[in-house]
Amino acid sequence: MDHAADDVVEDLVRRHAPQVLGALVRRYGHFDPAEDSVQEALIAAAEQWPRDGVPDNPRGWLIRVASRRLTDRLRSDEARRRREERAAALTPADAFVSPPPGEGAAGRSRAPAEDDTLTLLFLCCHPSLSPAAQIALTLRAVGGLTTAEIARAHLVPEATMAQRISRAKRAVRGTRFLRPDGRELDRRLGAVLQVLYLIFNEGYTASAGPDLHRTDLAREAIRLTRAVRRLLPREGRVTGLLALMLLTEARTPARTGPDGELIPLDEQDRALWDRTAIAEGTALAAEALALGPAGDYQLQAAIAALHDETERAEDTDWPQILALYDLLVRRTPDPAAALSRAVAVAMVHGPRAGLAEVDALAEAAGGHYRFDAVRAHLLERAGDMAAARTAYRAAADATLSEPEARYLRMRADEAER
């Protein structure tokens, strides 16, 4: 096969991985060995499909191979062997080709492949897990990333990440493989979307290391959010989050210069922005607002759309953006949203007004470098170059992102001239 065909195989394998794992966990209830068996099936597919061709039913092929590997594991232990026999006795003969239809928590019929993906996401984002564990387990089980890939993304040793993932699996062991419903669904969906957004943000602006952007993480977050939206197409939060990701990611081609240097939003060459992604994101943002009360993701998507639809930075509709931030900060105590609102205040009412808003957030910001970076920017706009230099340098010293640190030091040097 050529490289294009290899890419097709990789896409198929990654797309079907959570469905296959979900089918096995639902049927056998053993998360850890099921995940190992699915990984072995994925490796077998990556080796065989480029050579022999993609089977007519790739998901069925993966389920069949993974099930065989899992039953081999189960037979090695007497107690597990008995559970496997009971499961096999209750499973139709063709069940290893495609997952059997099941019933949801409320007794409704469901499409197993799609429902299993969403259920698996909820399992990986179980409230008993820390956010770091939720992210790692989601990337491993639903995203199909290897432990080494996840470790590299988080700048930790592979052994450390393997332990984190193992602990997360142990923590959810014995949890019923059912998608929550009603009020619990609403509560747990919030955790799922937060994890996906955290993954995206780490990909869009890496919190540490030499690279500003980690394409694999950002794209994986978008892919998983698309999967959730296919399952919950009428959920405004999901549609809003997908819109926000697309509108934000669309700016990536213009965010760095030829030497990898950071270029701020108001200085970017907007001709480089991905207009296809902007068109899709703008349409989704409008749809999300129409689906119900405006939540955090819908409001942030609407703000991103106002930025992306403007061809020149000086034509940005800052009064409308400020109005949306007013709504957002009334809904959430997030200091990051409040800092962004302070910038909008400065653009509408002047830098001194924005600085007053920033200074009021000093305690809530908790010494985060972005507080000093925003304050430095507004001080520079107000003409207080000495204070701007100090704030820029404080921000540069606090961030672990090398591109951001270089940019902040450059601004400090320019403010000194």
Side-chain angles (χ1 to χ4, degrees), residues 304-327:
L306 285 172
H307 281 296
D308 286 15
E309 288 178 317
T310 306
E311 294 185 1
R312 301 189 308 163
E314 55 267 32
D315 296 332
T316 302
D317 189 350
W318 284 107
Q320 180 65 18
I321 289 174
L322 177 57
L324 290 169
Y325 271 123
D326 286 341
L327 292 174

Side-chain angles (χ1 to χ4, degrees), residues 295-382:
D296 296 357
Y297 298 124
Q298 295 96 310
L299 290 171
Q300 290 181 74
I303 292 168
L306 285 172
H307 281 296
D308 286 15
E309 288 178 317
T310 306
E311 294 185 1
R312 301 189 308 163
E314 55 267 32
D315 296 332
T316 302
D317 189 350
W318 284 107
Q320 180 65 18
I321 289 174
L322 177 57
L324 290 169
Y325 271 123
D326 286 341
L327 292 174
L328 182 60
V329 297
R330 281 202 292 267
R331 284 186 48 86
T332 176
D334 181 17
L339 274 174
S340 296
R341 178 186 173 275
V343 174
V345 168
M347 299 305 293
V348 175
H349 300 297
R352 290 295 175 187
L355 280 167
E357 298 286 339
V358 170
D359 290 342
L361 298 170
E363 184 175 351
H368 194 277
Y369 82 93
R370 190 162 180 263
F371 170 83
D372 285 315
V374 170
R375 190 167 179 273
H377 171 68
L378 297 184
L379 285 166
E380 184 178 3
R381 288 179 60 88

Side-chain angles (χ1 to χ4, degrees), residues 62-282:
L62 289 168
I63 290 174
R64 184 171 63 252
V65 172
S67 295
R68 288 172 178 168
R69 302 293 172 90
L70 180 56
T71 53
D72 286 343
R73 280 185 165 82
L74 295 178
R75 289 192 184 99
S76 66
D77 181 270
E78 183 64 23
R80 290 183 178 180
R81 185 183 64 79
R82 287 198 299 268
R83 288 196 292 270
E84 182 267 334
E85 288 176 345
R86 287 197 297 269
L90 296 172
T91 302
D94 64 349
F96 292 123
V97 177
S98 61
E103 295 294 324
R108 59 192 180 278
S109 62
R110 62 192 178 115
E114 294 185 345
D115 217 38
D116 286 344
T117 300
L118 186 57
T119 305
L120 189 60
L121 264 172
F122 279 111
L123 181 62
C124 292
C125 298
H126 195 277
S128 65
L129 300 177
S130 68
Q134 291 174 338
I135 291 172
L137 192 57
T138 298
L139 288 173
R140 171 72 173 178
V142 187
L145 274 65
T146 67
T147 302
E149 289 172 329
I150 301 170
R152 284 197 298 271
H154 288 80
L155 301 179
V156 300
E158 184 175 350
T160 301
M161 184 55 66
Q163 291 175 354
R164 184 180 300 175
I165 293 172
S166 294
R167 286 195 297 268
K169 290 178 184 177
R170 287 196 298 271
V172 299
R173 185 178 297 162
T175 302
R176 296 184 67 193
F177 193 74
L178 289 175
R179 191 179 81 186
D181 57 9
R183 185 173 299 176
E184 180 65 11
L185 171 63
D186 184 73
R187 185 175 71 88
R188 294 275 294 277
L189 178 61
V192 168
L193 297 181
Q194 182 181 33
V195 165
L196 294 177
Y197 193 33
L198 287 171
I199 293 171
F200 174 80
N201 281 333
E202 181 61 26
Y204 186 70
T205 302
S207 58
D211 300 318
L212 180 68
H213 190 259
R214 291 177 181 165
T215 304
D216 55 342
L217 286 183
R219 289 180 178 173
E220 189 60 26
I222 291 173
R223 187 186 73 83
L224 293 176
T225 307
R226 285 192 188 278
V228 177
R229 184 171 180 268
R230 284 196 297 271
L231 305 170
L232 298 172
R234 302 296 299 170
E235 173 56 64
R237 287 176 294 174
V238 179
T239 301
L241 179 57
L242 178 57
L244 174 59
M245 289 179 177
L246 290 170
L247 290 164
T248 305
E249 181 70 4
R251 306 170 196 153
T252 296
R255 290 184 71 218
T256 54
D259 297 321
E261 68 274 17
L262 185 152
I263 301 176
L265 180 63
D266 60 347
E267 298 176 16
Q268 290 175 15
D269 180 357
R270 300 185 176 211
L272 298 177
W273 287 0
D274 185 342
R275 290 295 161 185
T276 300
I278 290 172
E280 182 185 4
T282 301

Side-chain angles (χ1 to χ4, degrees), residues 19-42:
Q19 301 172 4
V20 176
L21 179 57
L24 265 66
V25 174
R26 172 165 51 81
R27 186 176 304 147
Y28 297 103
H30 302 287
F31 189 99
D32 208 9
E35 202 266 347
D36 290 338
S37 299
V38 171
Q39 290 299 317
E40 292 180 8
L42 298 178

Side-chain angles (χ1 to χ4, degrees), residues 8-29:
V8 170
V9 168
E10 183 178 353
D11 180 67
L12 280 171
V13 166
R14 180 158 289 185
R15 176 153 47 89
H16 288 303
Q19 301 172 4
V20 176
L21 179 57
L24 265 66
V25 174
R26 172 165 51 81
R27 186 176 304 147
Y28 297 103

